[in-house]
Amino acid sequence: MTDRFIEVSLDKRGVSCTAKLLDDRAPITCNAVWDALPLGGDVYHAKYARNEIYALLAPFAREEPPLENPTITPIPGDLCYFTFTDTQLGTKSYGYESQAAHQGRATVVDLALFYERNNLLINGDAGWVPGIVWGSVVDGLDRMADACQDLWRAGALGETLTFRRA
């Protein structure tokens, strides 16, 4: 199989990076994402996992992928896939406004980019939250990390995170 690449972008900030799909490690997840591209939505910056940005999406796979190539300690450049139920993301402590697009969905997909070190996927309410590592940034992580830091400091309102074929 030939390598597949996607572009991950913060649209308002005009910053993007290129990631390689990890077809050899997470083939089911890679196919589900690839077949559904382009994908995107409002961007959020993690409160608990540290150096993570993500978009919450409606389910797009025929079946949710199994936990292939799992991690609880993502490294810089990892793209991760998570599946949550509506009740897992329904608490006000997570910072989602009542009008957030994912509210009211029975299942929510979280596509995330980790941009720096020292991440730990643990949730005070639920414990460990393993994610599927399905991609790895191969170009532009430094620019994206700077934009993510700006997102953390300046705010995410009006910004979108988009995944599209490169």
Side-chain angles (χ1 to χ4, degrees):
M1 174 180 253
T2 59
D3 291 339
R4 297 188 287 182
F5 296 89
I6 64 167
E7 178 185 82
V8 182
S9 61
L10 288 169
D11 301 320
K12 183 178 173 183
R13 285 171 171 77
V15 178
S16 64
C17 59
T18 302
K20 179 181 181 261
L21 271 61
L22 301 177
D23 286 301
D24 58 330
R25 297 181 184 176
I28 296 168
T29 307
C30 288
N31 285 334
V33 172
W34 185 261
D35 291 345
L37 293 174
L39 294 164
D42 291 342
V43 68
Y44 294 92
H45 194 288
K47 286 174 73 172
Y48 305 109
R50 284 195 70 169
N51 304 298
E52 171 195 10
I53 62 169
Y54 59 96
L56 299 173
L57 309 168
F60 51 81
R62 283 191 298 272
E63 269 184 45
E64 285 305 307
L67 191 57
E68 53 183 1
N69 199 31
T71 190
I72 57 165
T73 56
I75 62 173
D78 277 352
L79 299 181
C80 290
Y81 182 111
F82 303 90
T83 303
F84 298 105
T85 65
D86 58 345
T87 55
Q88 288 174 299
L89 297 182
T91 330
K92 286 186 179 184
S93 66
Y94 296 113
Y96 305 119
E97 66 277 5
S98 60
Q99 300 83 14
H102 74 278
Q103 298 292 6
R105 293 184 186 149
T107 303
V108 179
V109 172
D110 170 334
L111 290 185
L113 163 68
F114 290 84
Y115 63 89
E116 189 49 81
R117 300 172 40 140
N118 300 321
N119 303 293
L120 184 61
L121 301 179
I122 190 164
N123 177 298
D125 299 328
W128 299 110
V129 183
I132 301 167
V133 182
W134 59 275
S136 180
V137 174
V138 295
D139 182 54
L141 184 59
D142 53 345
R143 293 184 310 274
M144 184 61 84
D146 289 344
C148 292
Q149 281 295 315
D150 181 64
L151 185 85
W152 174 250
R153 305 256 314 140
L157 286 179
E159 182 64 88
T160 55
L161 179 62
T162 305
F163 301 81
R164 61 179 61 83
R165 293 179 186 189

